[in-house]
Amino acid sequence: MAELGAHLTAASAGDDRPSIFEAVAQDSLMAAVKPALQHLVKVLAESNPGRYGFLWHWFDEIYVLLDLLLQQHYLSRCSASFSENFYSLKRIPIGDCKQQPLATAGLPKRQHWKSLLLLVLVPYLKGKLEKLVSSLREEDEYSIHPPSSSWKRFYRAFLAAYPFVNMTWEGWFLVQQLCYILGKAQHHSPMLRLAGVRLVRLTAEDIHALEKKLAGATSSQTPSIKTQVQSAVRKALGGIAFSLSSGLSVSVFFLQFLDWWYSSENQEAIKSLTALPTPPPPVHLDHGASSALLPKLKTVCPLCRKIRVNATALSTSGFVFCYRCAYSYVKTHQRCPITGYATELQHLVKLYSPES
């Protein structure tokens, strides 16, 4: 434990290497944005299916397109993804270069496109695969296939292998994070290694260069039409990015609060906080008199004391009588003969036994 603490302290005390907490936190940041947008789209689609239904139907594709534009903007502007820039991190190519490139210089073309594809395409394909597995499991449970069907064998083989593949994938990430904590790896995620980059903290020079680049972009004079269009697109993406970054903390807190509020562990507490006062019980007949009316044999009618004919229950109390007995009593007294609950003829429910 002491050795692990020493490695964590050394990692967090480094000049440029982010701690494991910063690295994992930026990974989970974008994971909190998608559920929020998905819930918003679901509410819109349910309120007006004709107008917003397509948003729900094509949500994954629309989200991956927006994510592509957002990540492209940040990778081009500050050599980092949206979540990495949120935590003041940047990507640099793997190497032993003593002088790190500024964030405004951007990544080399190869590392840039590999980073973009791994940031956007891999989560999209993983989500699609999880949905496919879920639908195949439902189809395997409810569909009818011959025992020797090739599709049936393929489904079962695929569904049996998927948990082990998923466990291997998650274990790969866990081992990489442990190596990063112990100082044995430069990356906390295999995706960074595949992209050929590593994460470092932004320096004062990086921040100054980013501010200078932003100021220079806003002070350009007599731009061409192409430059104006590009500037408008950059401003739109910048506005979206600024709105996301400024409201992200509140959104994440709100999502965590909703997860806690609707979790199964808190359902009892929610019911106790939101439950209405219990109404007083209805007026009963005398307990001794009502119990005396009930026969010991459950198939006997409490009124005629004979085996029930055309068993009929009163929905107001649940007791069962002969249809003729219940009909006559309720029509005359407008109450249940056992409990005294107010009852009308419409509360008579005919019971059907399996034999009938």
Side-chain angles (χ1 to χ4, degrees):
M1 184 64 71
E3 184 181 358
L4 178 60
H7 280 294
L8 288 173
T9 305
S12 61
D15 293 333
D16 61 351
R17 188 172 183 264
S19 68
I20 185 62
F21 306 108
E22 292 173 305
V24 173
Q26 65 85 20
D27 278 339
S28 61
L29 193 59
M30 287 304 294
V33 176
K34 187 175 181 179
L37 295 178
Q38 194 169 16
H39 180 72
L40 176 61
V41 170
K42 184 179 180 181
V43 171
L44 291 175
E46 290 177 347
S47 62
N48 194 336
R51 177 175 296 181
Y52 304 112
F54 76 97
L55 293 177
W56 177 253
H57 185 265
W58 298 102
F59 174 78
D60 290 337
E61 287 69 24
I62 295 174
Y63 178 81
V64 78
L65 178 60
L66 294 176
D67 191 25
L68 179 66
L69 295 175
L70 184 67
Q71 303 298 355
Q72 167 65 16
H73 171 75
Y74 273 91
L75 285 172
S76 305
R77 179 176 175 270
C78 50
S79 303
S81 67
F82 167 73
S83 56
E84 291 162 357
N85 181 74
F86 187 83
Y87 279 91
S88 300
L89 304 176
K90 68 175 181 179
R91 296 184 174 210
I92 61 172
I94 297 176
D96 297 327
C97 54
K98 298 180 180 179
Q99 185 67 30
Q100 295 180 3
L102 292 176
T104 52
L107 291 169
K109 195 172 183 179
R110 182 182 181 86
Q111 281 80 3
H112 175 91
W113 289 111
K114 288 173 69 175
S115 297
L116 186 61
L117 290 177
L118 291 171
L119 281 169
V120 178
L121 191 60
V122 170
Y124 171 75
L125 294 178
K126 189 173 185 295
K128 284 295 185 181
L129 182 60
E130 290 175 352
K131 288 185 177 181
L132 175 62
V133 170
S134 179
S135 63
L136 288 180
R137 282 175 178 165
E138 292 181 359
E139 185 176 350
D140 183 63
E141 291 177 0
Y142 297 107
S143 63
I144 300 175
H145 292 285
S148 60
S149 171
S150 59
W151 280 109
K152 188 74 171 181
R153 292 196 298 268
F154 172 76
Y155 286 166
R156 289 183 175 177
F158 178 75
L159 294 177
Y162 178 76
F164 297 98
V165 175
N166 189 52
M167 182 179 64
T168 304
W169 175 268
E170 298 296 338
W172 187 22
F173 278 77
L174 179 60
V175 170
Q176 190 72 30
Q177 290 178 4
L178 290 176
C179 293
Y180 185 80
I181 291 173
L182 298 174
K184 304 297 184 182
Q186 293 182 329
H187 325 82
H188 75 285
S189 170
M191 297 295 102
L192 293 173
R193 185 174 183 178
L194 292 176
V197 296
R198 67 184 182 94
L199 290 180
V200 296
R201 292 191 178 95
L202 289 177
T203 62
E205 291 80 5
D206 290 319
I207 297 175
H208 179 70
L210 288 172
E211 293 176 349
K212 185 177 180 180
K213 183 178 180 180
L214 180 62
T218 55
S219 61
S220 58
Q221 297 179 355
T222 63
S224 63
I225 297 178
K226 181 179 179 181
T227 306
Q228 290 179 357
V229 173
Q230 292 177 349
S231 177
V233 172
R234 290 194 189 97
K235 287 182 180 179
L237 291 175
I240 295 173
F242 177 77
S243 301
L244 285 174
S245 60
S246 60
L248 199 56
S249 301
V250 178
S251 301
V252 170
F253 170 77
F254 184 67
L255 284 174
Q256 294 294 332
F257 176 76
L258 287 180
D259 289 339
W260 170 84
W261 183 257
Y262 289 106
S263 63
S264 58
E265 293 80 2
N266 296 298
Q267 288 302 310
E268 295 299 328
I270 294 171
K271 289 179 180 179
S272 64
L273 292 173
T274 59
L276 296 174
T278 304
V283 179
H284 287 66
L285 294 177
D286 180 68
H287 180 72
S290 61
S291 60
L293 291 174
L294 294 176
K296 295 182 179 179
L297 190 60
K298 295 183 178 181
T299 59
V300 173
C301 174
L303 291 176
C304 67
R305 300 290 173 168
K306 298 178 182 179
I307 300 297
R308 290 194 300 265
V309 179
N310 292 332
T312 302
L314 300 183
S315 62
T316 52
S317 64
F319 288 100
V320 185
F321 310 87
C322 299
Y323 175 77
R324 186 182 296 275
C325 299
Y327 182 87
S328 302
Y329 191 93
V330 171
K331 185 176 182 181
T332 304
H333 300 90
Q334 286 82 44
R335 62 180 174 84
C336 173
I338 305 299
T339 62
Y341 293 172
T343 307
E344 298 180 2
L345 294 177
Q346 62 187 11
H347 297 143
L348 272 66
V349 179
K350 178 71 171 67
L351 301 181
Y352 293 91
S353 62
E355 293 78 8
S356 60

